[in-house]
Amino acid sequence: MTNVTQIIIDTDPGQDDAAAIMLALASPELDILGITTVAGNVPVELTARNARIVCELCGRKDIKVFAGADRPLCRQLFTAEYIHGKTGLDGAELFMPSLPLQEKHATDFIVDTLMGNPMHTVTICTLAPLTNVAMALQARPSIAGRIRQIVMMGGGFSEGGNVTPAAEFNMFVDPEAAEIVLHAGVPITMMPLDVTHQLLTTSERLDRIAAIGHPAGRALAGMLRFFERYDIAKYGSEGAPLHDPSVIAWLLKPELFSGRHCNVEVETRSELTRGMTVVDWWRVSGRPHNAYVVRSVDTRGFFDLFTERLARLAA
Ligand code: RIB
Ligand code: CA
């Protein structure tokens, strides 16, 4: 029996979040204890609905989905309908999910799950602004010593930002939450834009997903074709970066990635560089190495894994 990793996915679906959730659902090495949703790409009412739609598309009505924070810790919510569309999952035929939303608040679920499982057995995969995780750490600081690791999509290093010249979206929306998480003393693996920009969709790759012959594959291909139009127009790129699935792929095949432990800080005071992650890659600051920052990936290996796993949904 392969080693099973117990995970919580914290997410703001978003088409790339949908891709990450499907990859996780198709991978038996991962035991999804629950999916917590947060305001980010679209408001939390929609991210909570969208996460349930994705699980239902994959035939997984057993998955527990929780709604969390409806805005950042201390700022106005900034959303990204300009990328993801009004629904957050534009590009596919959506439906009202029959999968129920859990009563419990997402941050209570995070605290209860970490307190209710043995030390260092639960991994948190964050695909969104870090508001839920920060609130859970504020509510019960002792969970920091119990989390196995946080694998986060967020930040940028030499790639700069995708919302402002300095800041990546997840860090930009709630920099105060990011600061709490980065200083909590939890083992962190960080997937910044520097690595996710190496994971661009292409029409050939999307055709492989559409050809999976499962409603989830067809829906995801439609979502990603909508998602990529923004980046193609903005960057003149061939497709859009599959940001969030990089987090799940790290858990499945870490050998596809490489990086180094170093210090990461996030800007919370300047309006010009709000949400900027300052990555001390060359270790000149003397500050503690609080994250393993990933900087390169085997792109072909990632898409082979991604497509092979999604094909299992049709099995
Ligand atoms: O900057 C990319 C990140 O912001 C991804 O998680 C995407 O879904 C958005 O949330
Ligand atoms: Ca996301």
Side-chain angles (χ1 to χ4, degrees):
M1 177 60 187
T2 46
N3 259 342
V4 174
T5 302
Q6 294 185 305
I7 65 172
I8 294 171
I9 299 176
D10 192 68
T11 179
D12 62 340
Q15 291 88 348
D16 61 319
D17 302 70
I21 294 167
M22 289 187 186
L23 177 58
L25 289 171
S27 299
E29 305 93 319
L30 303 177
D31 175 12
I32 303 173
L33 301 178
I35 294 179
T36 53
T37 60
V38 68
N41 287 320
V42 289
V44 69
E45 296 74 23
L46 290 180
T47 61
R49 182 201 64 175
N50 292 347
R52 289 179 287 147
I53 288 175
V54 174
C55 291
E56 213 157 309
L57 276 171
C58 296
R60 293 296 303 275
K61 291 189 181 179
D62 58 303
I63 300 292
K64 292 185 173 57
V65 177
F66 302 81
D70 61 5
R71 63 189 176 283
L73 292 182
C74 51
R75 291 176 185 263
Q76 291 295 316
L77 177 60
F78 175 87
T79 51
E81 288 87 349
Y82 62 95
I83 295 177
H84 300 273
K86 266 180 73 57
T87 70
L89 288 183
D90 281 28
E93 182 121 353
L94 303 183
F95 51 89
M96 205 51 209
S98 58
L99 192 157
L101 182 66
Q102 298 296 313
E103 286 293 312
K104 189 179 282 188
H105 190 278
T107 52
D108 295 333
F109 169 74
I110 293 170
V111 171
D112 294 348
T113 302
L114 284 160
M115 298 310 289
N117 283 279
M119 296 281 277
H120 308 139
T121 57
V122 177
T123 295
I124 303 180
C125 302
T126 69
L127 316 179
L130 292 161
T131 317
N132 281 344
V133 177
M135 284 171 65
L137 285 162
Q138 287 177 318
R140 186 71 71 89
S142 62
I143 63 171
R146 304 183 68 87
I147 301 171
R148 180 173 179 177
Q149 71 167 316
I150 292 175
V151 189
M152 70 167 65
M153 190 280 139
F157 172 39
S158 52
E159 276 293 284
N162 57 5
V163 178
T164 70
E168 177 277 327
F169 180 83
N170 291 337
M171 298 295 169
F172 176 81
V173 169
D174 200 342
E176 285 74 18
E179 186 171 53
I180 288 169
V181 173
L182 285 168
H183 291 166
V186 177
I188 291 174
T189 297
M190 175 177 158
M191 293 285 171
L193 296 178
D194 303 76
V195 66
T196 66
H197 283 185
Q198 299 173 49
L199 300 175
L200 296 183
T201 56
T202 63
S203 51
E204 184 269 330
R205 287 165 180 162
L206 293 186
D207 289 347
R208 282 172 70 187
I209 294 168
I212 281 169
H214 183 280
R218 287 191 293 276
L220 182 61
M223 290 179 199
L224 294 178
R225 286 197 171 99
F226 178 89
F227 175 64
E228 69 177 6
R229 88 215 180 287
Y230 178 82
D231 281 70
I232 291 171
K234 176 179 177 182
Y235 299 107
S237 55
E238 201 182 348
L242 280 188
H243 302 290
D244 294 335
S246 66
V247 167
I248 305 302
W250 162 261
L251 292 176
L252 297 173
K253 284 189 91 170
E255 63 273 23
L256 292 175
F257 301 88
S258 69
R260 70 167 58 164
H261 286 97
C262 55
N263 175 263
V264 180
E265 301 294 341
V266 61
E267 177 59 63
T268 58
R269 286 186 292 274
S270 154
E271 275 318 298
L272 175 65
T273 54
R274 157 195 166 172
M276 176 180 184
T277 49
V278 178
V279 176
D280 184 9
W281 184 263
W282 302 111
R283 300 168 172 161
V284 297
S285 68
R287 291 191 290 261
H289 299 171
N290 57 342
Y292 179 79
V293 178
V294 177
R295 211 174 172 195
S296 60
V297 58
D298 169 355
T299 300
R300 183 186 180 82
F302 167 84
F303 279 100
D304 286 349
L305 170 71
F306 183 60
T307 316
E308 180 272 322
R309 287 304 167 95
L310 288 184
R312 294 190 188 191
L313 292 170

